[in-house]
């Protein structure tokens, strides 16, 4: 449910919503080993851009990332029964 929800949020904001694997160093592989679903997401273009002298992220990509994180957190938190969520 978590990964599927994240993919749906990406599509809602006009980004490519597909799941895959990527070679990188982060904690996602450790969580996965113990059965915890996780998503690795970051702003901007990855190909030929990360860890280079000219690495950069466009402002519009940062704004899309903020939108993705906000919508995803709100979506999952608001699935929980609570009195503070006004959207459900």
């Amino acid at each position: 449910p978590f990964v599927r929800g994240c993919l749906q949020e990406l599509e809602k904001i006009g980004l490519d919503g597909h799941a895959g694997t990527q070679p990188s160093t982060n904690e996602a592989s450790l969580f996965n080993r113990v059965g915890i679903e996780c998503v690795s997401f970051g702003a901007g273009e990855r190909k030929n851009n990360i860890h280079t002298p000219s690495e950069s992220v466009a402002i519009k990509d940062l704004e899309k990332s903020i939108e993705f994180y906000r919508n995803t957190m709100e979506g999952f938190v608001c699935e929980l029964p609570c009195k503070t969520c006004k959207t459900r």
Side-chain angles (χ1 to χ4, degrees), residues 17-81:
H18 78 278
T21 59
Q22 61 184 17
S24 64
T25 304
N26 62 41
E27 292 77 13
S29 64
L30 300 175
F31 292 133
N32 190 5
R33 289 180 202 167
V34 294
I36 299 172
E37 284 187 293
C38 42
V39 171
S40 177
F41 173 82
E45 285 294 318
R46 178 178 171 83
K47 187 175 181 179
N48 300 321
N49 188 39
I50 60 170
H51 309 304
T52 66
S54 60
E55 180 176 359
S56 64
V57 179
I59 298 295
K60 67 179 179 64
D61 291 338
L62 289 173
E63 292 170 343
K64 284 285 186 180
S65 294
I66 292 167
E67 187 177 1
F68 168 75
Y69 290 128
R70 183 185 58 240
N71 292 349
T72 301
M73 287 186 281
E74 286 177 353
F76 283 101
V77 169
C78 291
E79 289 294 321
L80 302 173

Side-chain angles (χ1 to χ4, degrees), residues 2-12 14-22 38-42 44-46 68:
F2 177 68
V3 174
R4 187 171 33 255
C6 289
L7 296 175
Q8 289 171 347
E9 287 302 330
L10 287 172
E11 290 174 356
K12 285 180 189 176
L15 297 177
D16 184 19
H18 78 278
T21 59
Q22 61 184 17
C38 42
V39 171
S40 177
F41 173 82
E45 285 294 318
R46 178 178 171 83
F68 168 75

